[in-house]
mmCIF file with all atom_site columns, all heavy atoms in Angstrom:
data_model
loop_
_atom_site.group_PDB
_atom_site.id
_atom_site.type_symbol
_atom_site.label_atom_id
_atom_site.label_alt_id
_atom_site.label_comp_id
_atom_site.label_asym_id
_atom_site.label_entity_id
_atom_site.label_seq_id
_atom_site.pdbx_PDB_ins_code
_atom_site.Cartn_x
_atom_site.Cartn_y
_atom_site.Cartn_z
_atom_site.occupancy
_atom_site.B_iso_or_equiv
_atom_site.pdbx_formal_charge
_atom_site.auth_seq_id
_atom_site.auth_comp_id
_atom_site.auth_asym_id
_atom_site.auth_atom_id
_atom_site.pdbx_PDB_model_num
ATOM 1   N N   . GLY A 1 46 ? 12.017 14.311 -2.658 1.00 0.00 ? 46 GLY A N   1
ATOM 2   C CA  . GLY A 1 46 ? 12.567 14.365 -1.312 1.00 0.00 ? 46 GLY A CA  1
ATOM 3   C C   . GLY A 1 46 ? 12.142 15.606 -0.577 1.00 0.00 ? 46 GLY A C   1
ATOM 4   O O   . GLY A 1 46 ? 11.727 15.564 0.593  1.00 0.00 ? 46 GLY A O   1
ATOM 5   N N   . LYS A 1 47 ? 12.230 16.741 -1.253 1.00 0.00 ? 47 LYS A N   1
ATOM 6   C CA  . LYS A 1 47 ? 11.839 18.031 -0.637 1.00 0.00 ? 47 LYS A CA  1
ATOM 7   C C   . LYS A 1 47 ? 10.339 18.071 -0.341 1.00 0.00 ? 47 LYS A C   1
ATOM 8   O O   . LYS A 1 47 ? 9.908  18.680 0.642  1.00 0.00 ? 47 LYS A O   1
ATOM 9   C CB  . LYS A 1 47 ? 12.263 19.177 -1.544 1.00 0.00 ? 47 LYS A CB  1
ATOM 10  C CG  . LYS A 1 47 ? 13.779 19.371 -1.588 1.00 0.00 ? 47 LYS A CG  1
ATOM 11  C CD  . LYS A 1 47 ? 14.145 20.446 -2.597 1.00 0.00 ? 47 LYS A CD  1
ATOM 12  C CE  . LYS A 1 47 ? 15.640 20.651 -2.702 1.00 0.00 ? 47 LYS A CE  1
ATOM 13  N NZ  . LYS A 1 47 ? 16.372 19.527 -3.238 1.00 0.00 ? 47 LYS A NZ  1
ATOM 14  N N   . GLU A 1 48 ? 9.547  17.461 -1.204 1.00 0.00 ? 48 GLU A N   1
ATOM 15  C CA  . GLU A 1 48 ? 8.100  17.449 -0.982 1.00 0.00 ? 48 GLU A CA  1
ATOM 16  C C   . GLU A 1 48 ? 7.718  16.537 0.184  1.00 0.00 ? 48 GLU A C   1
ATOM 17  O O   . GLU A 1 48 ? 6.909  16.894 1.029  1.00 0.00 ? 48 GLU A O   1
ATOM 18  C CB  . GLU A 1 48 ? 7.369  17.016 -2.256 1.00 0.00 ? 48 GLU A CB  1
ATOM 19  C CG  . GLU A 1 48 ? 7.433  18.046 -3.371 1.00 0.00 ? 48 GLU A CG  1
ATOM 20  C CD  . GLU A 1 48 ? 6.705  17.600 -4.618 1.00 0.00 ? 48 GLU A CD  1
ATOM 21  O OE1 . GLU A 1 48 ? 6.054  16.532 -4.611 1.00 0.00 ? 48 GLU A OE1 1
ATOM 22  O OE2 . GLU A 1 48 ? 6.797  18.325 -5.635 1.00 0.00 ? 48 GLU A OE2 1
ATOM 23  N N   . VAL A 1 49 ? 8.308  15.358 0.203  1.00 0.00 ? 49 VAL A N   1
ATOM 24  C CA  . VAL A 1 49 ? 7.961  14.363 1.231  1.00 0.00 ? 49 VAL A CA  1
ATOM 25  C C   . VAL A 1 49 ? 8.378  14.829 2.610  1.00 0.00 ? 49 VAL A C   1
ATOM 26  O O   . VAL A 1 49 ? 7.628  14.702 3.563  1.00 0.00 ? 49 VAL A O   1
ATOM 27  C CB  . VAL A 1 49 ? 8.613  12.997 0.909  1.00 0.00 ? 49 VAL A CB  1
ATOM 28  C CG1 . VAL A 1 49 ? 8.581  12.059 2.098  1.00 0.00 ? 49 VAL A CG1 1
ATOM 29  C CG2 . VAL A 1 49 ? 7.934  12.361 -0.278 1.00 0.00 ? 49 VAL A CG2 1
ATOM 30  N N   . ILE A 1 50 ? 9.564  15.416 2.735  1.00 0.00 ? 50 ILE A N   1
ATOM 31  C CA  . ILE A 1 50 ? 10.044 15.765 4.068  1.00 0.00 ? 50 ILE A CA  1
ATOM 32  C C   . ILE A 1 50 ? 9.162  16.820 4.713  1.00 0.00 ? 50 ILE A C   1
ATOM 33  O O   . ILE A 1 50 ? 9.050  16.881 5.929  1.00 0.00 ? 50 ILE A O   1
ATOM 34  C CB  . ILE A 1 50 ? 11.533 16.195 4.040  1.00 0.00 ? 50 ILE A CB  1
ATOM 35  C CG1 . ILE A 1 50 ? 12.180 15.975 5.403  1.00 0.00 ? 50 ILE A CG1 1
ATOM 36  C CG2 . ILE A 1 50 ? 11.708 17.611 3.565  1.00 0.00 ? 50 ILE A CG2 1
ATOM 37  C CD1 . ILE A 1 50 ? 12.217 14.545 5.868  1.00 0.00 ? 50 ILE A CD1 1
ATOM 38  N N   . LYS A 1 51 ? 8.472  17.614 3.922  1.00 0.00 ? 51 LYS A N   1
ATOM 39  C CA  . LYS A 1 51 ? 7.538  18.623 4.460  1.00 0.00 ? 51 LYS A CA  1
ATOM 40  C C   . LYS A 1 51 ? 6.357  17.961 5.156  1.00 0.00 ? 51 LYS A C   1
ATOM 41  O O   . LYS A 1 51 ? 5.699  18.576 5.985  1.00 0.00 ? 51 LYS A O   1
ATOM 42  C CB  . LYS A 1 51 ? 7.028  19.527 3.351  1.00 0.00 ? 51 LYS A CB  1
ATOM 43  C CG  . LYS A 1 51 ? 8.061  20.448 2.754  1.00 0.00 ? 51 LYS A CG  1
ATOM 44  C CD  . LYS A 1 51 ? 7.441  21.248 1.625  1.00 0.00 ? 51 LYS A CD  1
ATOM 45  C CE  . LYS A 1 51 ? 8.468  21.958 0.801  1.00 0.00 ? 51 LYS A CE  1
ATOM 46  N NZ  . LYS A 1 51 ? 7.890  22.590 -0.382 1.00 0.00 ? 51 LYS A NZ  1
ATOM 47  N N   . THR A 1 52 ? 6.068  16.720 4.821  1.00 0.00 ? 52 THR A N   1
ATOM 48  C CA  . THR A 1 52 ? 4.904  16.017 5.393  1.00 0.00 ? 52 THR A CA  1
ATOM 49  C C   . THR A 1 52 ? 5.248  15.252 6.655  1.00 0.00 ? 52 THR A C   1
ATOM 50  O O   . THR A 1 52 ? 4.356  14.705 7.315  1.00 0.00 ? 52 THR A O   1
ATOM 51  C CB  . THR A 1 52 ? 4.275  15.047 4.381  1.00 0.00 ? 52 THR A CB  1
ATOM 52  O OG1 . THR A 1 52 ? 5.157  13.963 4.153  1.00 0.00 ? 52 THR A OG1 1
ATOM 53  C CG2 . THR A 1 52 ? 3.961  15.759 3.071  1.00 0.00 ? 52 THR A CG2 1
ATOM 54  N N   . ILE A 1 53 ? 6.541  15.159 7.004  1.00 0.00 ? 53 ILE A N   1
ATOM 55  C CA  . ILE A 1 53 ? 6.984  14.377 8.141  1.00 0.00 ? 53 ILE A CA  1
ATOM 56  C C   . ILE A 1 53 ? 7.305  15.322 9.319  1.00 0.00 ? 53 ILE A C   1
ATOM 57  O O   . ILE A 1 53 ? 8.258  16.094 9.228  1.00 0.00 ? 53 ILE A O   1
ATOM 58  C CB  . ILE A 1 53 ? 8.215  13.530 7.792  1.00 0.00 ? 53 ILE A CB  1
ATOM 59  C CG1 . ILE A 1 53 ? 7.891  12.571 6.648  1.00 0.00 ? 53 ILE A CG1 1
ATOM 60  C CG2 . ILE A 1 53 ? 8.725  12.761 9.015  1.00 0.00 ? 53 ILE A CG2 1
ATOM 61  C CD1 . ILE A 1 53 ? 9.067  11.781 6.121  1.00 0.00 ? 53 ILE A CD1 1
ATOM 62  N N   . PRO A 1 54 ? 6.517  15.260 10.381 1.00 0.00 ? 54 PRO A N   1
ATOM 63  C CA  . PRO A 1 54 ? 6.825  16.098 11.546 1.00 0.00 ? 54 PRO A CA  1
ATOM 64  C C   . PRO A 1 54 ? 8.228  15.771 12.076 1.00 0.00 ? 54 PRO A C   1
ATOM 65  O O   . PRO A 1 54 ? 8.619  14.604 12.132 1.00 0.00 ? 54 PRO A O   1
ATOM 66  C CB  . PRO A 1 54 ? 5.762  15.678 12.573 1.00 0.00 ? 54 PRO A CB  1
ATOM 67  C CG  . PRO A 1 54 ? 4.680  15.017 11.786 1.00 0.00 ? 54 PRO A CG  1
ATOM 68  C CD  . PRO A 1 54 ? 5.354  14.416 10.592 1.00 0.00 ? 54 PRO A CD  1
ATOM 69  N N   . ASN A 1 55 ? 8.985  16.790 12.397 1.00 0.00 ? 55 ASN A N   1
ATOM 70  C CA  . ASN A 1 55 ? 10.360 16.601 12.867 1.00 0.00 ? 55 ASN A CA  1
ATOM 71  C C   . ASN A 1 55 ? 11.229 15.888 11.845 1.00 0.00 ? 55 ASN A C   1
ATOM 72  O O   . ASN A 1 55 ? 12.178 15.200 12.194 1.00 0.00 ? 55 ASN A O   1
ATOM 73  C CB  . ASN A 1 55 ? 10.399 15.853 14.204 1.00 0.00 ? 55 ASN A CB  1
ATOM 74  C CG  . ASN A 1 55 ? 9.679  16.596 15.279 1.00 0.00 ? 55 ASN A CG  1
ATOM 75  O OD1 . ASN A 1 55 ? 9.909  17.769 15.516 1.00 0.00 ? 55 ASN A OD1 1
ATOM 76  N ND2 . ASN A 1 55 ? 8.737  15.917 15.941 1.00 0.00 ? 55 ASN A ND2 1
ATOM 77  N N   . GLY A 1 56 ? 10.903 16.042 10.566 1.00 0.00 ? 56 GLY A N   1
ATOM 78  C CA  . GLY A 1 56 ? 11.657 15.379 9.515  1.00 0.00 ? 56 GLY A CA  1
ATOM 79  C C   . GLY A 1 56 ? 12.875 16.195 9.098  1.00 0.00 ? 56 GLY A C   1
ATOM 80  O O   . GLY A 1 56 ? 12.885 17.417 9.152  1.00 0.00 ? 56 GLY A O   1
ATOM 81  N N   . LYS A 1 57 ? 13.899 15.488 8.673  1.00 0.00 ? 57 LYS A N   1
ATOM 82  C CA  . LYS A 1 57 ? 15.118 16.123 8.158  1.00 0.00 ? 57 LYS A CA  1
ATOM 83  C C   . LYS A 1 57 ? 15.538 15.394 6.888  1.00 0.00 ? 57 LYS A C   1
ATOM 84  O O   . LYS A 1 57 ? 15.492 14.156 6.841  1.00 0.00 ? 57 LYS A O   1
ATOM 85  C CB  . LYS A 1 57 ? 16.239 16.045 9.203  1.00 0.00 ? 57 LYS A CB  1
ATOM 86  C CG  . LYS A 1 57 ? 17.520 16.684 8.741  1.00 0.00 ? 57 LYS A CG  1
ATOM 87  C CD  . LYS A 1 57 ? 18.576 16.638 9.826  1.00 0.00 ? 57 LYS A CD  1
ATOM 88  C CE  . LYS A 1 57 ? 19.859 17.277 9.340  1.00 0.00 ? 57 LYS A CE  1
ATOM 89  N NZ  . LYS A 1 57 ? 20.917 17.181 10.365 1.00 0.00 ? 57 LYS A NZ  1
ATOM 90  N N   . LEU A 1 58 ? 15.912 16.162 5.885  1.00 0.00 ? 58 LEU A N   1
ATOM 91  C CA  . LEU A 1 58 ? 16.346 15.593 4.604  1.00 0.00 ? 58 LEU A CA  1
ATOM 92  C C   . LEU A 1 58 ? 17.838 15.763 4.445  1.00 0.00 ? 58 LEU A C   1
ATOM 93  O O   . LEU A 1 58 ? 18.378 16.863 4.615  1.00 0.00 ? 58 LEU A O   1
ATOM 94  C CB  . LEU A 1 58 ? 15.624 16.325 3.457  1.00 0.00 ? 58 LEU A CB  1
ATOM 95  C CG  . LEU A 1 58 ? 16.043 15.959 2.033  1.00 0.00 ? 58 LEU A CG  1
ATOM 96  C CD1 . LEU A 1 58 ? 15.724 14.489 1.732  1.00 0.00 ? 58 LEU A CD1 1
ATOM 97  C CD2 . LEU A 1 58 ? 15.353 16.874 1.023  1.00 0.00 ? 58 LEU A CD2 1
ATOM 98  N N   . ILE A 1 59 ? 18.525 14.655 4.161  1.00 0.00 ? 59 ILE A N   1
ATOM 99  C CA  . ILE A 1 59 ? 19.924 14.690 3.793  1.00 0.00 ? 59 ILE A CA  1
ATOM 100 C C   . ILE A 1 59 ? 20.032 14.169 2.374  1.00 0.00 ? 59 ILE A C   1
ATOM 101 O O   . ILE A 1 59 ? 19.666 13.027 2.091  1.00 0.00 ? 59 ILE A O   1
ATOM 102 C CB  . ILE A 1 59 ? 20.795 13.839 4.736  1.00 0.00 ? 59 ILE A CB  1
ATOM 103 C CG1 . ILE A 1 59 ? 20.717 14.388 6.163  1.00 0.00 ? 59 ILE A CG1 1
ATOM 104 C CG2 . ILE A 1 59 ? 22.231 13.776 4.247  1.00 0.00 ? 59 ILE A CG2 1
ATOM 105 C CD1 . ILE A 1 59 ? 21.464 13.571 7.181  1.00 0.00 ? 59 ILE A CD1 1
ATOM 106 N N   . GLU A 1 60 ? 20.471 15.042 1.468  1.00 0.00 ? 60 GLU A N   1
ATOM 107 C CA  . GLU A 1 60 ? 20.605 14.670 0.062  1.00 0.00 ? 60 GLU A CA  1
ATOM 108 C C   . GLU A 1 60 ? 22.075 14.446 -0.271 1.00 0.00 ? 60 GLU A C   1
ATOM 109 O O   . GLU A 1 60 ? 22.939 15.143 0.237  1.00 0.00 ? 60 GLU A O   1
ATOM 110 C CB  . GLU A 1 60 ? 20.046 15.755 -0.836 1.00 0.00 ? 60 GLU A CB  1
ATOM 111 C CG  . GLU A 1 60 ? 18.552 15.953 -0.677 1.00 0.00 ? 60 GLU A CG  1
ATOM 112 C CD  . GLU A 1 60 ? 18.039 17.082 -1.554 1.00 0.00 ? 60 GLU A CD  1
ATOM 113 O OE1 . GLU A 1 60 ? 18.397 18.247 -1.257 1.00 0.00 ? 60 GLU A OE1 1
ATOM 114 O OE2 . GLU A 1 60 ? 17.303 16.800 -2.508 1.00 0.00 ? 60 GLU A OE2 1
ATOM 115 N N   . PHE A 1 61 ? 22.313 13.506 -1.151 1.00 0.00 ? 61 PHE A N   1
ATOM 116 C CA  . PHE A 1 61 ? 23.646 13.238 -1.659 1.00 0.00 ? 61 PHE A CA  1
ATOM 117 C C   . PHE A 1 61 ? 23.645 13.630 -3.135 1.00 0.00 ? 61 PHE A C   1
ATOM 118 O O   . PHE A 1 61 ? 23.198 12.865 -3.985 1.00 0.00 ? 61 PHE A O   1
ATOM 119 C CB  . PHE A 1 61 ? 24.016 11.778 -1.463 1.00 0.00 ? 61 PHE A CB  1
ATOM 120 C CG  . PHE A 1 61 ? 24.023 11.370 -0.008 1.00 0.00 ? 61 PHE A CG  1
ATOM 121 C CD1 . PHE A 1 61 ? 22.969 10.656 0.538  1.00 0.00 ? 61 PHE A CD1 1
ATOM 122 C CD2 . PHE A 1 61 ? 25.067 11.720 0.806  1.00 0.00 ? 61 PHE A CD2 1
ATOM 123 C CE1 . PHE A 1 61 ? 22.975 10.298 1.892  1.00 0.00 ? 61 PHE A CE1 1
ATOM 124 C CE2 . PHE A 1 61 ? 25.089 11.366 2.156  1.00 0.00 ? 61 PHE A CE2 1
ATOM 125 C CZ  . PHE A 1 61 ? 24.030 10.656 2.681  1.00 0.00 ? 61 PHE A CZ  1
ATOM 126 N N   . PRO A 1 62 ? 24.105 14.852 -3.431 1.00 0.00 ? 62 PRO A N   1
ATOM 127 C CA  . PRO A 1 62 ? 24.068 15.362 -4.822 1.00 0.00 ? 62 PRO A CA  1
ATOM 128 C C   . PRO A 1 62 ? 24.852 14.458 -5.775 1.00 0.00 ? 62 PRO A C   1
ATOM 129 O O   . PRO A 1 62 ? 25.978 14.063 -5.502 1.00 0.00 ? 62 PRO A O   1
ATOM 130 C CB  . PRO A 1 62 ? 24.728 16.737 -4.703 1.00 0.00 ? 62 PRO A CB  1
ATOM 131 C CG  . PRO A 1 62 ? 24.589 17.122 -3.270 1.00 0.00 ? 62 PRO A CG  1
ATOM 132 C CD  . PRO A 1 62 ? 24.649 15.819 -2.497 1.00 0.00 ? 62 PRO A CD  1
ATOM 133 N N   . GLY A 1 63 ? 24.166 14.137 -6.881 1.00 0.00 ? 63 GLY A N   1
ATOM 134 C CA  . GLY A 1 63 ? 24.784 13.343 -7.924 1.00 0.00 ? 63 GLY A CA  1
ATOM 135 C C   . GLY A 1 63 ? 24.763 11.851 -7.704 1.00 0.00 ? 63 GLY A C   1
ATOM 136 O O   . GLY A 1 63 ? 25.192 11.088 -8.571 1.00 0.00 ? 63 GLY A O   1
ATOM 137 N N   . PHE A 1 64 ? 24.273 11.414 -6.555 1.00 0.00 ? 64 PHE A N   1
ATOM 138 C CA  . PHE A 1 64 ? 24.215 9.981  -6.259 1.00 0.00 ? 64 PHE A CA  1
ATOM 139 C C   . PHE A 1 64 ? 22.840 9.442  -6.593 1.00 0.00 ? 64 PHE A C   1
ATOM 140 O O   . PHE A 1 64 ? 21.839 10.152 -6.538 1.00 0.00 ? 64 PHE A O   1
ATOM 141 C CB  . PHE A 1 64 ? 24.547 9.720  -4.799 1.00 0.00 ? 64 PHE A CB  1
ATOM 142 C CG  . PHE A 1 64 ? 26.014 9.853  -4.494 1.00 0.00 ? 64 PHE A CG  1
ATOM 143 C CD1 . PHE A 1 64 ? 26.552 11.097 -4.231 1.00 0.00 ? 64 PHE A CD1 1
ATOM 144 C CD2 . PHE A 1 64 ? 26.839 8.755  -4.540 1.00 0.00 ? 64 PHE A CD2 1
ATOM 145 C CE1 . PHE A 1 64 ? 27.917 11.249 -3.974 1.00 0.00 ? 64 PHE A CE1 1
ATOM 146 C CE2 . PHE A 1 64 ? 28.215 8.889  -4.303 1.00 0.00 ? 64 PHE A CE2 1
ATOM 147 C CZ  . PHE A 1 64 ? 28.754 10.125 -4.014 1.00 0.00 ? 64 PHE A CZ  1
ATOM 148 N N   . GLY A 1 65 ? 22.790 8.158  -6.924 1.00 0.00 ? 65 GLY A N   1
ATOM 149 C CA  . GLY A 1 65 ? 21.561 7.527  -7.314 1.00 0.00 ? 65 GLY A CA  1
ATOM 150 C C   . GLY A 1 65 ? 20.851 6.846  -6.170 1.00 0.00 ? 65 GLY A C   1
ATOM 151 O O   . GLY A 1 65 ? 20.838 7.302  -5.028 1.00 0.00 ? 65 GLY A O   1
#
Side-chain angles (χ1 to χ4, degrees):
K47 290 175 181 66
E48 289 180 7
V49 166
I50 205 63
K51 292 177 193 173
T52 70
I53 300 174
N55 299 309
K57 180 177 179 183
L58 175 63
I59 297 176
E60 295 178 292
F61 299 102
F64 285 84

